[in-house]
Amino acid sequence: MARTARWSHTERVLLTCNQVVHDYELPATEGKRGDPRWPVFVRRHGFDIEHPVQW
């Protein structure tokens, strides 16, 4: 399989929760139920603790 130069450079960016959810309306997928960071994220941003999500 031949490689292309499409992914020869990537740049990480940081988006706020409001940008992800409201400004860009990025789709969420089901998060990992065992992630120990989830409860803190829920308290900080007001998500449902029983339904973890990730972007």
Side-chain angles (χ1 to χ4, degrees):
M1 179 181 347
R3 290 186 172 251
T4 66
R6 168 143 333 248
W7 298 106
S8 62
H9 174 77
T10 59
E11 187 170 335
R12 290 180 181 243
V13 296
L14 175 69
L15 298 175
T16 66
C17 185
N18 281 335
Q19 287 173 315
V20 169
V21 176
H22 301 294
D23 296 345
Y24 298 109
E25 299 178 0
L26 298 176
T29 61
E30 185 175 351
K32 300 174 190 166
R33 293 203 178 272
D35 189 338
R37 301 169 295 179
W38 179 243
V40 175
F41 187 85
V42 165
R43 284 193 297 274
R44 185 176 296 152
H45 299 290
F47 286 92
D48 182 355
I49 195 144
E50 296 298 321
H51 299 96
V53 294
Q54 62 188 17
W55 289 268

